[in-house]
Amino acid sequence: MQKQIMSHKNQIALVNGILVVVGFGAHFLLHNEPLEVGAFVLASILGVLPIALQAYQALRVRVVSIDLLVTIAVIGAFAIQNFEESAVVTFLFLFGAYLEQRTLNQTRSAIKELTELAPESALLQVAEGQYEEVDVDEVDEGDVLLVKTGAKVPVDGHVLRGEGHINEASITGESLPVTKSVGSDVFAGSILENGTLEIQADKVGEDTTFGKIIELVEEAQDSKSEAERLIDRFAKYYTPIVLLLALVVWAFTRNLELAITILVLGCPGALVIGVPVSNVSGIGNGARHGILLKGSEVINRFSQVDTMVFDKTGTLTIGNPEVADWQFYGNEAEKKQVFAFLGSIEEESDHPLGKAVLNWLGNFDKVPVTETKVVKGGGVTATVAGRQIAVGNLALMAQTGVTVSKAIEKDAQNFEAKGNSLVALAVDGQLVLLLGIRDQLRPGVKGVLGQLKELGVKNLVLLSGDNQGTVTLVAEELGLTEAKGNMLPEDKANYIEQLQSQGQVVAFVGDGVNDSPSLALADIGIAMGNGTDVAIETSDVVLMNSDFAHLPHALGLTKATARNMKENIGIAIGVVLVLLASLIFSNWMNMTIGMFVHEGSILVVILNGMRLLRYKVK
């Protein structure tokens, strides 16, 4: 019976409303008192059933809810035969709950849109050239799938055959299609706008980037900030206090109607709903723009940031460095062999500078590498074809006893003055090759940093493992507050702790791979993610397509969300105070008006929160 009543709550509200209309029609048009009383009595009884059930369910878990206040108020009004007010109050409460749920569903539209993009089926290769449509849950890693024009990519994978343009807005927030060809990575939930692709599944189901995005957004929308937890605790004690106040008023005045009116006026519904709806809307807006905000506590902290610390490679720069300058100091006859030594060592590295060196070398004769030793913050030493090789910065050269001549020092200074990072190679203790590697600044990065300043960020700091000359050059070009070079990961973490000890609220922006200590230690860790697993899991905020231009939107959105929360708290408290003051200092306030204003205030805070869905940074 209880289940049927609760599942038909909206229908009960509709019948309740019709009976209220009949009651007023009987009073004003037909002047038929029996019909009027009958309609209001039936409306009151019918309307109070779902409200009383919700109150009972809350009491079973020792929670004195708003529903209990309304139930007692309706029963009291019924007892003093104020059937009109008891009927109207139940209708307003039920109708308000219906509108509240409808509008809350709209604030969750971003996650709803995401889940609707989740692929349901896939064309699985069952024999050479033959494909069969199967449920996406039946696809395993390694399976070969066919994606046709207009279809959703069902898994994370890579292209085996074909070419096409894919809309990856669900992953990155970027609406422009991305060209995909053999070897390109593709993501579940993206849409093939034209072409036909044969892909191999690398990740399936919840392990896909899209699956993790949905999971993170759902968790973020369900998480609670300290403000929400405080309001929950407040409501837990506030509601019994209102009930006690109504009892005290009745005990001293013996005015049951006054006591019942206090119950209705004191309902804290707008206060309870105001903060969550702001958070949900803010997180939803971020998800639409390729920005993952991991919960309402993150929003609160991010809105207070006054210092932003940046890694250089892959953050302020594109992350695709190239060899721009080089000088060979060895025997020309050994140049080819030296290049083979360098390529063989760098082929075992995943460092961005190593990839730049390999691209520059092109084809080389690979030789066996043994006794490889990584020197943190310096480079690599190894034995190659029986020769002792050191590849890294000048600090590594000094550490391994390699002599650097005045001429080489001058070349190094010239390379650094151009903004190069240095990679030196020594063979058997003799420096024979010096490379200058340069990365390009992200387009528009200076304008983005200007926007961050306008949004209240006072300090823009660059921390990099690069040489100080390169770092200083970048800082001067971008107008940064401070720049530190030659920093190891632990140096960056220590510097962030130093800033925090000075009372600064620090956000660190990095690639989420090499800077995980700094991402974890900062008040807010922001990963330039490109949807990578490490970035998603280690940071507070993820820019899904590594679009630096989205950073001002993320900061502005959190500030707008935090401001919106305060507005909603102010509206909720203000309405309750005005209602109670009206009851004390006027003679026009009654239970029906109180309930009407109460439900109206809930809708006001919800609509105010929903404004965040349309937020755009100025």
Side-chain angles (χ1 to χ4, degrees), residues 205-251:
E206 294 180 356
D207 292 331
T208 64
T209 300
F210 186 69
K212 290 184 177 182
I213 290 172
I214 291 177
E215 183 182 354
L216 281 171
V217 175
E218 285 177 334
E219 286 177 0
Q221 290 192 336
D222 290 337
S223 70
K224 290 192 174 185
S225 65
E226 183 57 36
E228 287 176 274
R229 290 191 289 270
L230 180 64
I231 288 172
D232 284 346
R233 291 196 296 271
F234 172 77
K236 182 180 177 181
Y237 295 106
Y238 172 82
T239 309
I241 288 170
V242 172
L243 186 57
L244 183 62
L245 176 63
L247 288 171
V248 170
V249 168
W250 176 78

Side-chain angles (χ1 to χ4, degrees), residues 348-583:
E348 297 186 359
S349 169
D350 59 357
H351 194 282
L353 297 187
K355 293 176 182 177
V357 171
L358 290 173
N359 289 335
W360 174 72
L361 285 173
N363 296 322
F364 60 90
D365 298 324
K366 191 172 180 180
V367 289
V369 178
T370 59
E371 300 178 28
T372 302
K373 182 182 178 183
V374 176
V375 180
K376 187 184 288 186
V380 177
T381 61
T383 300
V384 184
R387 312 282 293 272
Q388 297 301 310
I389 309 296
V391 180
N393 55 28
L394 294 185
L396 177 68
M397 299 298 111
Q399 189 176 337
T400 53
V402 175
T403 302
V404 180
S405 67
K406 294 290 184 182
I408 294 175
E409 283 184 359
K410 187 174 181 180
D411 285 342
Q413 289 170 2
N414 290 335
F415 283 10
E416 286 185 349
K418 296 178 182 178
N420 286 308
S421 299
L422 302 180
V423 173
L425 181 141
V427 179
D428 294 330
Q430 190 73 32
L431 198 155
V432 295
L433 180 65
L434 184 67
L435 303 177
I437 302 176
R438 227 175 11 242
D439 197 359
Q440 299 298 314
L441 289 175
R442 286 182 180 272
V445 65
K446 190 170 184 178
V448 170
L449 295 174
Q451 283 184 290
L452 293 175
K453 287 181 181 178
E454 291 174 4
L455 287 166
V457 179
K458 298 174 184 175
N459 305 304
L460 299 172
V461 181
L462 172 59
L463 302 182
S464 176
D466 256 340
N467 62 76
Q468 187 61 50
T470 299
V471 171
T472 300
L473 203 68
V474 171
E476 288 175 353
E477 186 173 347
L478 298 179
L480 301 178
T481 313
E482 199 171 353
K484 299 279 186 182
N486 301 310
M487 299 197 83
L488 300 172
E490 54 264 38
D491 296 328
K492 295 180 184 180
N494 291 336
Y495 193 79
I496 286 172
E497 282 187 323
Q498 182 182 329
L499 293 174
Q500 290 171 323
S501 69
Q502 297 168 3
Q504 299 179 39
V505 182
V506 181
F508 180 84
V509 188
D511 59 15
V513 179
N514 299 320
D515 295 306
S516 53
S518 298
L519 282 168
L521 189 62
D523 296 289
I524 291 292
I526 304 171
M528 306 293 289
N530 254 346
T532 60
D533 293 345
V534 175
I536 289 175
E537 291 168 8
T538 60
S539 57
D540 300 303
V541 179
V542 182
L543 305 181
M544 287 308 297
N545 64 341
S546 291
D547 190 345
F548 195 76
H550 281 167
L551 193 53
H553 182 94
L555 178 58
L557 178 62
T558 59
K559 286 182 175 292
T561 303
R563 187 167 57 248
N564 196 273
M565 284 185 228
K566 293 172 184 174
E567 291 169 356
N568 280 350
I569 291 172
I571 291 168
I573 293 174
V575 166
V576 171
L577 291 177
V578 168
L579 288 175
L580 291 176
S582 300
L583 184 63

Side-chain angles (χ1 to χ4, degrees), residues 27 45 236 316 328 433 443 542 558 614:
H27 177 76
I45 295 172
K236 182 180 177 181
L316 296 180
F328 185 74
L433 180 65
V542 182
T558 59
R614 299 189 300 274

Side-chain angles (χ1 to χ4, degrees), residues 56-65 236:
Y56 169 70
Q57 289 166 357
L59 282 173
R60 287 183 64 184
V61 291
R62 299 180 181 178
V63 174
V64 180
S65 66
K236 182 180 177 181

Side-chain angles (χ1 to χ4, degrees), residues 582-601:
S582 300
L583 184 63
I584 296 169
F585 299 110
S586 74
N587 54 12
W588 54 266
M589 180 56 66
N590 59 37
M591 191 164 64
T592 299
I593 295 174
M595 180 55 71
F596 183 78
V597 175
H598 162 71
E599 295 299 336
S601 68

